[in-house]
Amino acid sequence: MKDYSVLKGKFGLHVKQIRETKGYSLIEVDRRCELDESNISKIENGKINIQLSTIFELAKGLGVEPKDLLDFHI
């Protein structure tokens, strides 16, 4: 099995940058979607793998399109 820790870390950093650019706290994103604040933090820190459904929920919470979350360089 491949180690995706670098990919998870870069994805998480990208998510965090989007959130901070929009001026949202973790709690605000939590309120806007069906993800727990602690899970959003784990995503931003590259600690967990996420499912496709989570990408859609996260995009909803951040007010972006799902494709925007995947638009980062690895």
Side-chain angles (χ1 to χ4, degrees), residues 31-65:
R31 289 180 186 149
R32 296 170 52 97
C33 66
E34 295 181 26
L35 296 175
D36 184 75
E37 172 187 350
S38 66
N39 282 337
I40 298 167
S41 177
K42 289 176 187 174
I43 292 167
E44 288 185 354
N45 289 302
K47 302 289 183 192
I48 58 174
N49 280 323
I50 61 172
Q51 297 179 355
L52 184 58
S53 59
T54 305
I55 290 174
F56 278 80
E57 278 301 315
L58 193 54
K60 181 172 79 173
L62 292 168
V64 298
E65 294 294 322

Side-chain angles (χ1 to χ4, degrees), residues 17-34:
Q17 289 171 339
I18 291 172
R19 179 178 61 76
E20 290 178 342
T21 297
K22 292 193 165 266
Y24 294 158
S25 68
L26 289 171
I27 294 171
E28 288 173 302
V29 177
D30 174 11
R31 289 180 186 149
R32 296 170 52 97
C33 66
E34 295 181 26

